[in-house]
Amino acid sequence: MSALNPSGWQPSMGDAQGSGSELVTSSGDRGLMFEEPLSFEIGALDKCGVDMDEPGGEPVAALGAFLRKSAPDLPGLTEPETVRHYSRLSRQNYGIDLGPFPLGSCTMKHNPRLNEKLARLPGFADVHPLQPPTTVRGAFEAMDELSKWLIALTGMAAVAMSPKAGAHGELCGLLCIRAAHDHAGEARDVILVPESAHGTNPATAAFAGFKVESIPATASGRVDLAAMKAKLGPHVAGVMITNPNTCGLFEPEMKAISDTVHAVGGYVYCDGANFNAIVGKVRPGDLGIDAMHINLHKTFSTPHGGGGPGSGPVVLSEALCPFAPLPFTVRTGDGEAHLVEESNAAAIGHTLAFGRMTAFHGQMGMFTRALTYILSHGADGLQQVAEDAVLNANYVLRSCDDLLAAPFGSAGPCMHEALFSDSNLPEGFGTLDIAKGLIDEGFHPMTVYFPLVVKGAMLVEPTETESKAGLDRFIASLRHVARRALNGDETLHAAPVLAPRRRLDETLAARKPVLVWQRDPG
Ligand SMILES: *Cc1c(COP(=O)(O)O)cnc(C)c1O
């Protein structure tokens, strides 16, 4: 038995099930962890979870050609089978309610249950988007209250609430910028994006019809101001800057960047997905920003990941708010929040809206959660969110930078994310080994190979909701795995060996994805 292998088991490299034990069971299940087949493998069409009447009458003759010739390949399951199938699968899942989720850039923090309680109040949960506005005054009131907070926290002039994710908010901001240039009769078709940007930034700019030009990063991981200046001109519609950036660093020259871009007639979009690090500390409006999305699901805590839900309100400067999309709420002389749509926009002088981002008003459940989160923290509590998020990230950075390379570690403290790389690991060991090793330790891996400007990047975002004791456990595991790599422990290449599945062949999965289950393969 070695210190690295206290229980004495030998990883069996050929074992596709990843048992981590030589004991083979007849069922494939181990202890109370189940080897769950596909529903297609346990289902059959003669089984059903509900009672249904036999279809009556004769098929309509004219439709005969469309009748299926063979039974559909669907898995029929009984109710207990269905419940067990999904409950068993859910036990193989990992979520923020089980442990830390240190994915950099994603801000996976604990989601207070109070948010859920309020979002489930029938007055919020059951509103229908087509209800007459007079019957949903309270919902408008809540949206208006949240708008006011977002405007106050960012120091901006207005907010478009309807975008349904960060990337959707980026699109909304760029469409505002396009509308402003169109209105001024200017044909500008280039958006400048730093190398270190989140992938959604260049994708959104291209989707909005702009050409994307990239701005290099300096050796300290910041936007190269001189290189940006050299690219500015009458063809540049604007720049998209992430601040704090994806290296977990604050852009100290943000105001200078904004002033320079404004001087040549461009607009400044800020990717505000990392607002968690600066909420209550810095107002983007003071940095000259024209548009910025806020990920309510990150900074203002709605459970997210796995595809949703999201909500990405966009705060706008004086210059861009005339172009804000419909609908939105305004508080009028009667003191109540009212909905502004196409029918009444002209009456309040909002005639330049670029259109709509969504059919309706946005994500009511997320508005309620975000407002609850904001009100329960208060202004001082939100400030502490940013302080603790930054403190926690620096604690992780300084607790591990003797074992893992920290590319910008010498540039001073980080913001909310600690960035490491695999550059100091021995030949043959890399970021993937560290990430997979963490799974055996019982931790979800950090973000890997992003940002792209750092080779073999590992981006850890602990968030403010991890306690010191929780961080110490994570740090101990990260250090243990890093030491295994530094010691050249070849068994690390097999990790994870304790998870329900071993390391998958990602190349094969990408090249030859099996997207359709076949009852009779071969
Ligand atoms: C999460 C994120 C986005 C995109 O937000 P979605 O809500 O996932 O669309 C954009 N930029 C950064 C830096 C992010 O972390």
Side-chain angles (χ1 to χ4, degrees):
M1 268 201 245
S2 75
L4 288 181
N5 196 356
S7 60
W9 56 260
Q10 293 299 317
S12 59
M13 301 290 289
D15 177 9
Q17 306 303 321
S19 65
S21 156
E22 290 305 317
L23 181 66
V24 176
T25 61
S26 67
S27 59
D29 299 341
R30 281 173 202 86
L32 296 174
M33 279 305 289
F34 305 106
E35 186 54 43
E36 185 62 11
L38 299 177
S39 58
F40 286 92
E41 290 164 316
I42 50 177
L45 265 187
D46 59 358
K47 291 192 286 184
C48 190
V50 288
D51 290 329
M52 285 192 286
D53 291 337
E54 285 298 320
E58 283 297 304
V60 180
L63 295 179
F66 297 106
L67 287 179
R68 46 165 78 250
K69 310 267 181 307
S70 56
D73 196 6
L74 291 173
L77 296 175
T78 65
E79 182 172 312
E81 279 174 336
T82 309
V83 171
R84 284 186 186 156
H85 177 67
Y86 288 105
S87 300
R88 284 168 178 232
L89 286 180
S90 76
R91 292 185 46 174
Q92 298 187 0
N93 208 350
Y94 186 87
I96 190 68
D97 292 344
L98 287 171
F101 220 115
L103 272 182
S105 212
C106 292
T107 312
M108 305 290 279
K109 56 166 104 173
H110 169 72
N111 307 113
R113 293 308 188 261
L114 181 64
N115 298 356
E116 300 306 318
K117 196 170 164 184
L118 270 80
R120 281 165 174 70
L121 291 177
F124 294 126
D126 298 344
V127 287
H128 191 280
L130 291 176
Q131 246 173 280
T134 50
T135 67
V136 284
R137 279 273 200 261
F140 291 150
E141 214 43 59
M143 286 166 64
D144 189 68
E145 186 67 22
L146 176 60
S147 307
K148 281 200 308 210
W149 270 96
L150 297 181
I151 288 170
L153 288 169
T154 55
M156 302 287 277
V159 59
M161 296 295 286
S162 61
K164 293 201 174 178
H168 205 212
E170 291 170 25
L171 182 61
C172 175
L174 289 195
L175 292 178
C176 283
I177 291 174
R178 145 143 314 154
H181 286 310
D182 284 353
H183 185 64
E186 298 208 22
R188 293 169 177 255
D189 62 351
V190 170
I191 293 282
L192 302 181
V193 182
E195 266 180 351
S196 63
H198 193 260
T200 49
N201 293 193
T204 302
F207 188 75
F210 291 103
K211 288 185 204 126
V212 180
E213 285 183 24
S214 122
I215 314 170
T218 63
S220 68
R222 268 78 174 202
V223 170
D224 187 332
L225 190 56
M228 186 196 80
K229 275 188 184 153
K231 293 202 171 235
L232 287 174
H235 57 296
V236 173
V239 298
M240 290 181 97
I241 310 275
T242 307
N243 198 14
N245 71 22
T246 55
C247 300
L249 303 170
F250 192 74
E251 290 287 350
E253 301 208 80
M254 195 62 220
K255 186 71 173 71
I257 293 172
S258 302
D259 291 346
T260 315
V261 173
H262 289 154
V264 298
Y267 289 99
V268 179
Y269 188 91
C270 179
D271 180 331
N274 296 334
F275 195 46
N276 204 53
I278 57 170
V279 58
K281 306 300 274 183
V282 182
R283 299 191 316 161
D286 298 334
L287 303 176
I289 283 152
D290 292 295
M292 180 183 96
H293 71 264
I294 299 169
N295 297 57
L296 294 187
H297 44 297
K298 295 180 182 172
T299 311
F300 298 108
S301 85
T302 286
H304 68 111
S311 181
V314 178
V315 286
L316 298 167
S317 64
E318 251 355 302
L320 289 185
C321 62
F323 307 98
L326 297 166
F328 54 84
T329 56
V330 287
R331 211 174 273 271
T332 52
D334 64 2
E336 295 210 47
H338 292 269
L339 189 68
V340 181
E341 294 192 280
E342 285 78 355
S343 56
N344 59 348
I348 67 152
H350 193 78
T351 53
L352 299 175
F354 72 70
R356 277 184 177 244
M357 292 301 293
T358 59
F360 300 113
H361 321 304
Q363 305 275 36
M364 193 64 223
M366 300 199 51
F367 294 159
T368 316
R369 287 181 182 88
L371 182 59
T372 306
Y373 181 81
I374 289 173
L375 293 178
S376 58
H377 279 70
D380 55 339
L382 291 176
Q383 221 162 40
Q384 199 187 335
V385 162
E387 288 167 7
D388 290 352
V390 171
L391 185 64
N392 280 359
N394 279 282
Y395 185 56
V396 172
L397 181 68
R398 295 309 169 203
S399 300
C400 298
D401 64 357
D402 57 328
L403 293 184
L404 285 171
F408 304 114
S410 58
C414 60
M415 295 299 288
H416 58 308
E417 296 168 323
L419 179 60
F420 299 103
S421 88
D422 62 2
S423 65
N424 66 320
L425 298 185
E427 183 74 30
F429 287 86
T431 291
L432 202 63
D433 295 311
I434 304 289
K436 300 294 186 189
L438 274 178
I439 296 176
D440 279 336
E441 296 278 327
F443 287 100
H444 192 284
M446 66 287 271
T447 290
V448 293
Y449 301 106
F450 177 83
L452 302 177
V453 283
V454 170
K455 200 170 156 290
M458 290 172 255
L459 191 63
V460 180
E461 181 175 2
T463 82
E464 72 283 1
T465 58
E466 293 309 319
S467 65
K468 163 111 178 3
L471 288 180
D472 284 337
R473 279 193 295 275
F474 174 75
I475 288 165
S477 286
L478 183 54
R479 290 182 63 82
H480 177 68
V481 178
R483 274 211 197 86
R484 285 179 68 189
L486 288 168
N487 293 341
D489 174 359
E490 295 286 337
T491 63
L492 184 57
H493 294 316
V497 292
L498 300 175
R501 285 293 175 276
R502 287 283 179 87
R503 199 180 293 203
L504 301 176
D505 185 337
E506 291 176 16
T507 313
L508 190 68
R511 295 269 158 79
K512 293 189 178 161
V514 181
L515 301 177
V516 180
W517 183 81
Q518 290 174 323
R519 199 170 281 274
D520 185 21

